[in-house]
Short mmCIF file of all heavy atoms in Angstrom, two decimals:
data_model
loop_
_atom_site.label_atom_id
_atom_site.label_comp_id
_atom_site.label_asym_id
_atom_site.label_seq_id
_atom_site.Cartn_x
_atom_site.Cartn_y
_atom_site.Cartn_z
N GLY A 110 29.50 74.81 4.15
CA GLY A 110 28.97 76.15 3.88
C GLY A 110 27.61 76.19 3.25
O GLY A 110 27.23 77.18 2.63
N PHE A 111 26.83 75.10 3.41
CA PHE A 111 25.47 75.04 2.85
C PHE A 111 24.46 74.70 3.95
O PHE A 111 23.93 73.58 4.00
CB PHE A 111 25.40 74.00 1.73
CG PHE A 111 26.34 74.28 0.60
CD1 PHE A 111 27.55 73.59 0.49
CD2 PHE A 111 26.03 75.23 -0.36
CE1 PHE A 111 28.42 73.85 -0.55
CE2 PHE A 111 26.91 75.50 -1.41
CZ PHE A 111 28.11 74.81 -1.51
N PRO A 112 24.17 75.65 4.86
CA PRO A 112 23.27 75.36 5.99
C PRO A 112 21.85 75.01 5.56
O PRO A 112 21.17 74.25 6.25
CB PRO A 112 23.31 76.65 6.82
CG PRO A 112 23.82 77.71 5.90
CD PRO A 112 24.71 77.02 4.93
N GLU A 113 21.40 75.56 4.43
CA GLU A 113 20.03 75.24 3.96
C GLU A 113 19.90 73.75 3.67
O GLU A 113 18.93 73.11 4.08
CB GLU A 113 19.70 76.05 2.69
CG GLU A 113 19.64 77.54 2.89
CD GLU A 113 20.99 78.22 2.68
OE1 GLU A 113 22.02 77.51 2.57
OE2 GLU A 113 21.02 79.47 2.67
N ILE A 145 23.86 80.09 11.73
CA ILE A 145 24.79 80.48 10.67
C ILE A 145 24.11 81.37 9.64
O ILE A 145 24.70 82.35 9.16
CB ILE A 145 25.39 79.21 10.00
CG1 ILE A 145 26.38 78.54 10.97
CG2 ILE A 145 26.07 79.54 8.68
CD1 ILE A 145 26.75 77.13 10.60
N ARG A 146 22.85 81.08 9.35
CA ARG A 146 22.09 81.88 8.37
C ARG A 146 21.61 83.20 8.96
O ARG A 146 21.03 84.02 8.25
CB ARG A 146 20.90 81.08 7.84
CG ARG A 146 21.26 79.80 7.11
CD ARG A 146 20.18 79.35 6.13
NE ARG A 146 18.90 79.09 6.75
CZ ARG A 146 18.46 77.89 7.14
NH1 ARG A 146 19.26 76.83 7.02
NH2 ARG A 146 17.27 77.74 7.64
N LEU A 205 32.34 78.00 10.79
CA LEU A 205 31.34 77.54 9.82
C LEU A 205 30.63 78.71 9.15
O LEU A 205 30.30 78.65 7.97
CB LEU A 205 30.32 76.62 10.49
CG LEU A 205 30.88 75.28 11.04
CD1 LEU A 205 29.77 74.44 11.65
CD2 LEU A 205 31.61 74.50 9.95
N ARG A 206 30.41 79.78 9.93
CA ARG A 206 29.77 80.95 9.33
C ARG A 206 30.71 81.62 8.32
O ARG A 206 30.28 82.14 7.28
CB ARG A 206 29.35 81.94 10.42
CG ARG A 206 28.36 82.99 9.91
CD ARG A 206 27.73 83.76 11.04
NE ARG A 206 28.72 84.60 11.72
CZ ARG A 206 28.42 85.40 12.75
NH1 ARG A 206 27.18 85.45 13.22
NH2 ARG A 206 29.35 86.13 13.34
N GLY A 207 32.01 81.59 8.61
CA GLY A 207 32.99 82.11 7.66
C GLY A 207 32.94 81.35 6.35
O GLY A 207 32.97 81.95 5.25
N ILE A 208 32.85 80.02 6.43
CA ILE A 208 32.75 79.19 5.21
C ILE A 208 31.46 79.53 4.45
O ILE A 208 31.46 79.62 3.22
CB ILE A 208 32.80 77.69 5.57
CG1 ILE A 208 34.16 77.35 6.20
CG2 ILE A 208 32.55 76.82 4.35
CD1 ILE A 208 34.23 75.98 6.85
N TYR A 209 30.36 79.72 5.20
CA TYR A 209 29.06 80.08 4.61
C TYR A 209 29.17 81.40 3.86
O TYR A 209 28.69 81.54 2.72
CB TYR A 209 28.01 80.16 5.72
CG TYR A 209 26.67 80.74 5.32
CD1 TYR A 209 25.87 80.10 4.37
CD2 TYR A 209 26.20 81.92 5.89
CE1 TYR A 209 24.64 80.62 4.01
CE2 TYR A 209 24.96 82.45 5.54
CZ TYR A 209 24.20 81.80 4.60
OH TYR A 209 22.97 82.31 4.24
N PHE A 210 29.84 82.40 4.47
CA PHE A 210 30.01 83.71 3.82
C PHE A 210 30.86 83.58 2.55
O PHE A 210 30.63 84.28 1.56
CB PHE A 210 30.63 84.72 4.78
CG PHE A 210 29.67 85.25 5.82
CD1 PHE A 210 30.05 85.39 7.15
CD2 PHE A 210 28.37 85.62 5.47
CE1 PHE A 210 29.17 85.89 8.11
CE2 PHE A 210 27.48 86.11 6.42
CZ PHE A 210 27.87 86.24 7.74
N ILE A 211 31.85 82.69 2.58
CA ILE A 211 32.67 82.44 1.38
C ILE A 211 31.79 81.94 0.24
O ILE A 211 31.90 82.41 -0.90
CB ILE A 211 33.81 81.44 1.68
CG1 ILE A 211 34.97 82.16 2.39
CG2 ILE A 211 34.33 80.79 0.39
CD1 ILE A 211 36.11 81.25 2.79
N LYS A 212 30.93 80.98 0.54
CA LYS A 212 30.05 80.42 -0.49
C LYS A 212 29.12 81.49 -1.06
O LYS A 212 28.74 81.45 -2.22
CB LYS A 212 29.21 79.27 0.07
CG LYS A 212 30.01 78.07 0.55
CD LYS A 212 30.81 77.42 -0.57
CE LYS A 212 31.62 76.24 -0.06
NZ LYS A 212 32.51 75.68 -1.07
N LYS A 213 28.76 82.47 -0.21
CA LYS A 213 27.87 83.55 -0.66
C LYS A 213 28.64 84.68 -1.34
O LYS A 213 28.05 85.59 -1.90
CB LYS A 213 27.11 84.13 0.54
CG LYS A 213 26.02 83.21 1.08
CD LYS A 213 25.24 83.87 2.20
CE LYS A 213 24.33 84.95 1.64
NZ LYS A 213 23.53 85.62 2.69
#
Side-chain angles (χ1 to χ4, degrees):
F111 300 101
E113 295 89 350
I145 288 165
R146 299 204 300 264
L205 296 181
R206 195 168 67 179
I208 296 168
Y209 170 63
F210 285 137
I211 280 177
K212 298 298 179 186
K213 288 184 72 180

